[in-house]
Amino acid sequence: MSIGFFDSGVGGLTVLKQFRNLLPSEDCLYFGDTKNMPYGEKSEKELIEFADRIFKFFEQKQVKAVVMACNTTSAVTYEKLKEKYNFKIYPIIQSVTKLLASKPVKRIGILATHATINSHAYKNGIHSYNPEMEVVEIACPGWVKIVENGLENNKQSLCEIKNKLGEMLSFNPEKIVLACTHYPYLLPQLSMFADRSLFIDPSKAFAEFIKEDLQKSGMLSDSKSEGLEEFFVSASPENFKSAASIFYNISTKPVLVDLNTPDMLQPL
Ligand code: DGL
């Protein structure tokens, strides 16, 4: 049985990459909801609808677990949908806040989408383990589209990145969490304006958390050969592949599917 991963686009590949480094023999399916990207600007109702349809898709694919490789849906939809399905669900935020709360810092910065910031999922999660830690939350609208459109080095993009990062730096955080799975794609650009060691990409800790939990639950694959991987998108497969290329080598053509039809397994 495989494991499903999803995000609004190429962001969740930052998690998939770490996961495959740790557990190369697991079969993985990845769904990029490129038709509905960016998630960070959507309402709670819309985000629940999107996530629910993706869970149904994975249910039809008979996965053993689903990884919410997306902060926005983890923040807004996990609590609403977690009891609805029979497979295990791993949300990124709820899986890494304990670790973040244990960092030896007094002030931590959170850069994320509007929807994640408005939910205060990071602040509340960190405070449930460590009420003393000061959490500064700043939304970075526009950054997801920069990544999806491959515009990282464009002059206007660099300006947007510099401005939002500058806003965060004015609070003097000791660490800054890249709390949207798209943002690690921007690390080379962020590092032009601040020391790289300032940034935390939670995807490695998240992958380790999932591995440990699958192990504890006796759910790891016992195969010795390299696991399969398959990619699905709701729009623009070519664009998905090229935006992903700076981070992930997608060897097959992503399959275009329509999650609005009852027979969603049928490629378009
Ligand atoms: N990469 C996702 C996240 O971690 C979604 C970003 C978006 O589509 O706005 O929040």
Side-chain angles (χ1 to χ4, degrees), residues 161-174:
I161 294 166
K162 189 178 173 198
N163 282 346
K164 280 292 156 189
L165 179 61
E167 209 179 301
M168 174 57 85
L169 292 174
S170 71
F171 289 91
N172 281 319
E174 290 154 84

Side-chain angles (χ1 to χ4, degrees), residues 95-243:
S95 309
V96 301
T97 38
K98 187 175 178 186
L99 183 83
L100 294 174
S102 71
K103 296 268 173 209
V105 299
K106 288 202 178 69
R107 188 180 298 133
I108 197 162
I110 306 292
L111 294 176
T113 66
H114 260 145
T116 300
I117 295 301
N118 291 343
S119 76
H120 298 299
Y122 271 93
K123 189 182 260 183
N124 295 337
I126 290 172
H127 282 167
S128 71
Y129 297 106
N130 179 0
E132 304 299 313
M133 192 182 278
E134 196 183 322
V135 183
V136 181
E137 300 176 301
I138 292 181
C140 308
W143 286 19
V144 168
K145 280 202 166 165
I146 291 175
V147 174
E148 290 289 334
N149 296 323
L151 297 173
E152 295 86 357
N153 291 314
N154 160 304
K155 211 169 152 196
Q156 198 191 325
S157 307
L158 288 173
C159 222
E160 281 180 45
I161 294 166
K162 189 178 173 198
N163 282 346
K164 280 292 156 189
L165 179 61
E167 209 179 301
M168 174 57 85
L169 292 174
S170 71
F171 289 91
N172 281 319
E174 290 154 84
K175 289 282 175 197
I176 298 175
V177 183
L178 301 177
C180 166
T181 52
H182 281 78
Y183 298 174
Y185 283 76
L186 300 175
L187 261 172
Q189 289 73 23
L190 287 162
S191 307
M192 291 177 188
F193 310 114
D195 198 280
R196 201 180 175 115
S197 64
L198 194 61
F199 300 102
I200 299 178
D201 168 6
S203 58
K204 187 156 184 261
F206 183 33
E208 280 162 359
F209 176 91
I210 302 165
K211 179 184 173 185
E212 209 174 292
D213 193 80
L214 287 171
Q215 222 154 17
K216 261 197 278 180
S217 318
M219 286 170 64
L220 286 181
S221 154
D222 50 17
S223 156
K224 295 275 172 287
S225 49
E226 168 108 10
L228 302 172
E229 52 179 25
E230 229 180 320
F231 297 89
F232 302 88
V233 290
S234 51
S236 323
E238 286 309 327
N239 193 65
F240 175 84
K241 204 171 162 173
S242 84

Side-chain angles (χ1 to χ4, degrees), residues 7-8 11-12 37-41 69-72 113 116 144 179-182:
D7 180 44
S8 63
M37 178 284 294
Y39 275 181
E41 307 302 317
C70 170
N71 291 265
T72 307
T113 66
T116 300
V144 168
C180 166
T181 52
H182 281 78

